[in-house]
Amino acid sequence: MLDGFLADAADWSLAERVAFAKWVMRASGHEQRSPRVPAPLIRRLLAPAAAEQAHNEPGDAEAQLLLAVLGDPSGAQPVDRYRAAVALAPANAMIGRVFVRAVLDWTDYAQHELPCGYLGDPEEDAGLLEQAIASANAFGLGVPTADLLAHRLALARAAIAGRIPGGE
């Protein structure tokens, strides 16, 4: 059934494919692992549509966001696509919320071995956390989110200062 749908969707205009990709990702809460977003749909329709849109309209912040969430067929890093989306639409609450969630996911991984060690680059994480705090404050994401971001930032800064082992 999905193969038939994807075959039909191949005949859609770019505008129709992009509109569908944006709709599906909004409906899934911009969660790639949602049951609403099977891998063949991502690989054959959603990511290619977002990539073509981002290439044709580099100012489309939501296309940049989709590439961050879905993976960019060109191999660009998700963090670069998130940063582009936030830079293009700093007042977009949806993009800000998805960015904050991604930063929390990344720093959760980087900090999950604490107090034994920090994984990854704490300086990069500190910069991302500062951006995420600005987004959280701008969109009123609430005290628990702001407190968690501030705590993660303090841990990244401790790793930068050498008070926590690890880091790249």
Side-chain angles (χ1 to χ4, degrees):
M1 184 185 290
L2 182 57
D3 284 335
F5 171 76
L6 291 169
D8 289 344
D11 293 331
W12 295 354
S13 70
L14 176 60
E16 291 168 322
R17 289 181 284 129
V18 169
F20 179 76
K22 290 178 179 182
W23 175 80
V24 166
M25 293 311 294
R26 286 184 202 127
S28 71
H30 289 87
E31 227 0 276
Q32 183 187 40
R33 294 174 296 267
S34 168
R36 295 182 178 132
V37 192
L41 182 65
I42 292 170
R43 191 176 53 257
R44 293 173 48 194
L45 177 59
L46 304 181
E52 189 174 347
Q53 177 69 7
H55 175 76
N56 292 346
E57 297 288 334
D60 186 335
E62 197 170 351
Q64 299 289 337
L65 179 69
L66 293 182
L67 289 173
V69 172
L70 298 171
D72 187 339
S74 77
Q77 294 299 309
V79 69
D80 296 332
R81 292 298 187 171
Y82 277 111
R83 283 184 169 142
V86 170
L88 288 166
N92 185 308
M94 175 195 62
I95 289 173
R97 283 191 303 274
V98 175
F99 172 69
V100 167
R101 185 181 68 209
V103 170
L104 285 171
D105 287 346
W106 293 326
T107 57
D108 182 51
Y109 177 78
Q111 297 177 357
H112 84 275
E113 293 285 337
L114 295 177
C116 296
Y118 197 102
L119 305 176
D121 182 348
E123 289 188 24
E124 181 180 28
D125 290 352
L128 289 168
L129 285 158
E130 289 166 354
Q131 281 185 279
I133 288 168
S135 288
N137 290 337
F139 303 117
L141 297 183
V143 172
T145 300
D147 286 350
L148 181 56
L149 290 166
H151 176 71
R152 298 260 176 96
L153 179 57
L155 291 171
R157 287 181 175 156
I160 293 167
R163 294 190 307 266
I164 296 174
E168 289 184 334

